[in-house]
Amino acid sequence: MAIQRNQTRAVAIGNVVVGDGHPIAVQSMTATKTQDIDATVAQAEAYREAGAGVVRIAVDSDKDAAALAEIRKQTTANLAVDLQENFRLAEKVAPYVDKIRYNPGHLYHHQRDKPWQDKVRFIIEQAQQHDCAIRIGVNCGSVDPDKKAKYDPSDSITPMLESALEHCDFVDSLGFHRYVVSLKDSDPQQVIEGNRRFAQQRPEIPLHLGVTEAGMPPEGIIKTRIAFEQLIGQGIGDTVRVSLTLPNDRKPEEIAAGRQIIEDIYAGRVRTVVKLNEKALNIISCPSCSRVENEAFIDLAQSVKEMTEYAKDHDITIAVMGCRVNGPGETDDADLGLWCGPAKVNLKRGTEALGAFGYDEILPRLRQELDAIIATKC
C-alpha cells in the first residue's frame, strides 16, 4: 500500500527515532511488579528481543524508582516510565529512562493547590536535564475534569483533544519540542476520530497510537487493527502499542501483533471496510501491568468472556480492569464494569457502584446484572 506519512518532526527515544518518516516503532509495558527486578528485567529484555523499540515501566513509589535504577543497569531496552499521579517522581526516574509519560488528567491528584502548569514545568525540566523525551498521554477514562465539565457527557473526544492541545501549547512555550502525543480510548472509532482531529490541528507532532483495554486475543488484536489500519493507512501514527490481556509469559505477543499489523497495512492486507459490530456484546479489558494487585484478574477476564457468550448478540459493553488506578474511571462508560483489587472485585453498572465481591463470587453477580440489562432491552 502506498502510504504518504504525515511529515511529523523527529523525536529521539534512546536509540530509536520516531516521526520524520522513521519506521513506526512498536512498544509495550511491563506487567511484572517493578520491585521484582529480575522479573522486570527479564520481561523488558523479552520485549526488546521481540522487536520493541520502547519498553515502558510503571513507577508509583520511591521503592519503584529505586528498583528502576537497578533495572536500567541490567537491560539495554529503551526505557519509558509512566508517572501516573505522582509528578514529583520525575526527578527520581529521569536519570534512568529515555522517555517520561505523563497524563494531563492525573496531575490533579497530588498537590491539588499547585497549578498544573507548575507540575508540567517541573517534569519538562527533568526531561531537559536528563536527555529524556516526553509523551503527553491523554486517556478517555482520566480526562482533565475541567475539560469534561465543559462538554456534553456523550462527547468524550473533544475534552481529550482540548486537553492534549492545551498541553502541547504550554510545553512548546517552554521551548521543549521533543515530545509525542497519544489520545486513547477503548473504542477504535473514537481513537480514529480523536487522532484524525489532532493530526489536522498539529500535523507536525508525532502520534503514539493505541486502543486502551483492547482485551484478549483475537478480539483485542482485531479492535486494534481497525484503528491502526484507518490511521496508519492515512499516514497518521509514528509509534504504536497493542494492549492485550495476557499472562506475563505471553506479553511479547503484543510486540508480534503490532509488527504484524504494520507489515500487513503496508502490504495492503487490510480490512478498511470492517467496523465494530454495533449489535454485538463488547468486552474490553486492560492489558495487565505491574499495577495489577491480583493476577487472578487475567483468569477472571477470560471467565467473563466465556460466561457471557450467551449474550453475544446484545449491544452491551462489559469492562474488566485490573487495578484501582485506572479501573474506576475507565469503567464509567461501560454498561457493566469490573475493577479488581487484591481480594475483591468491584462491580459497577455505569457509574453506579454495586459493591465489592470475592473473585469466587463475582461471576454469578455479574450474570445477574447482565440478565437484568438484557431484560430491559427486550
Side-chain angles (χ1 to χ4, degrees):
M1 178 182 291
I3 297 173
Q4 182 65 44
R5 295 274 299 280
N6 276 12
Q7 190 57 48
T8 55
R9 62 192 175 209
V11 172
I13 305 169
N15 63 14
V16 167
V17 179
V18 301
D20 192 30
H22 287 83
I24 297 172
V26 180
Q27 55 184 281
S28 192
M29 182 176 182
T30 55
T32 54
K33 299 298 182 186
T34 302
Q35 293 172 46
D36 187 342
I37 294 171
D38 290 344
T40 303
V41 168
Q43 189 160 82
E45 284 294 285
Y47 283 143
R48 183 186 63 78
E49 292 170 3
V54 181
V55 176
R56 193 171 103 199
I57 297 176
V59 175
D60 295 330
S61 67
D62 289 344
K63 289 183 178 180
D64 285 346
L68 177 69
E70 186 58 37
I71 292 165
R72 172 72 286 172
K73 296 176 184 177
Q74 298 185 38
T75 179
T76 58
N78 296 312
L79 295 182
V81 75
D82 193 350
L83 292 180
Q84 292 294 341
E85 292 95 340
N86 194 347
F87 75 96
R88 294 290 308 180
L89 285 174
E91 184 175 24
K92 296 186 177 182
V93 303
Y96 309 110
V97 297
D98 304 290
K99 183 173 71 170
I100 296 172
R101 182 261 182 160
Y102 80 87
N103 181 340
H106 281 164
L107 293 176
Y108 297 83
H109 297 283
H110 284 235
Q111 299 185 25
R112 292 174 182 267
D113 58 337
K114 184 186 288 290
W116 67 262
Q117 291 89 344
D118 291 350
K119 299 175 184 180
V120 172
R121 184 178 292 106
F122 176 79
I123 295 170
I124 298 302
E125 287 173 353
Q126 301 309 310
Q128 290 172 319
Q129 290 175 26
H130 297 284
D131 194 28
C132 295
I134 289 287
R135 170 155 68 100
I136 301 171
V138 187
N139 270 18
C140 63
S142 51
V143 181
D144 177 341
D146 289 339
K147 296 290 183 290
K148 289 182 70 173
K150 291 172 58 179
Y151 298 97
D152 188 282
S154 64
D155 181 3
S156 63
I157 295 177
T158 304
M160 290 176 61
L161 187 64
E162 188 171 302
S163 180
L165 292 169
E166 178 179 63
H167 278 256
C168 290
D169 288 345
F170 181 71
V171 172
D172 286 343
S173 76
L174 300 177
F176 188 86
H177 306 289
R178 190 178 163 190
Y179 66 88
V180 303
V181 167
S182 63
L183 300 100
K184 295 189 178 183
D185 196 287
S186 59
D187 181 343
Q189 301 303 325
Q190 299 285 84
V191 173
I192 293 165
E193 183 179 348
N195 282 276
R196 280 178 177 165
R197 288 170 60 181
F198 181 89
Q200 288 171 353
Q201 296 190 54
R202 295 298 305 266
E204 80 284 7
I205 297 176
L207 279 166
H208 167 120
L209 305 182
V211 177
T212 63
E213 302 96 35
M216 293 154 280
E219 294 89 351
I221 296 175
I222 293 170
K223 290 180 184 179
T224 305
R225 178 179 286 273
I226 290 170
F228 287 5
E229 284 180 354
Q230 296 186 47
L231 289 168
I232 294 174
Q234 295 181 16
I236 298 170
D238 301 281
T239 181
V240 303
R241 181 188 176 194
V242 180
S243 300
L244 300 174
T245 307
L246 290 168
N248 282 357
D249 61 346
R250 293 180 56 193
K251 291 294 282 182
E253 292 179 25
E254 294 182 337
I255 305 301
R259 289 164 63 92
Q260 186 65 59
I261 292 171
I262 294 168
E263 179 183 326
D264 286 347
I265 292 170
Y266 275 88
R269 297 187 293 266
V270 295
R271 308 182 187 187
T272 52
V273 298
V274 176
K275 297 183 182 295
L276 287 179
N277 186 347
E278 298 176 355
K279 301 299 182 182
L281 179 71
N282 180 33
I283 297 178
I284 63 176
S285 59
C286 67
S288 75
C289 71
S290 61
R291 297 188 186 90
V292 171
E293 296 177 284
N294 190 329
E295 292 185 4
F297 151 72
I298 304 289
D299 293 332
L300 175 62
Q302 184 63 43
S303 296
V304 169
K305 179 181 177 181
E306 294 168 357
M307 186 274 287
T308 58
E309 176 65 20
Y310 74 97
K312 61 184 177 65
D313 295 325
H314 293 274
D315 180 16
I316 295 171
T317 296
I318 300 175
V320 188
M321 302 295 136
C323 78
R324 67 184 74 191
V325 175
N326 294 319
E330 295 191 357
T331 50
D332 279 351
D333 293 332
D335 295 289
L336 292 170
L338 296 81
W339 62 271
C340 302
K344 298 286 187 180
V345 180
N346 298 271
L347 179 62
K348 297 167 61 181
R349 184 166 179 168
T351 59
E352 178 189 0
L354 301 178
F357 305 88
Y359 280 80
D360 58 346
E361 303 172 316
I362 188 62
L363 288 177
R365 181 57 193 273
L366 175 64
R367 179 162 189 153
Q368 177 183 336
E369 294 298 328
L370 179 57
D371 288 344
I373 291 176
I374 292 173
T376 62
K377 293 190 174 187
C378 293

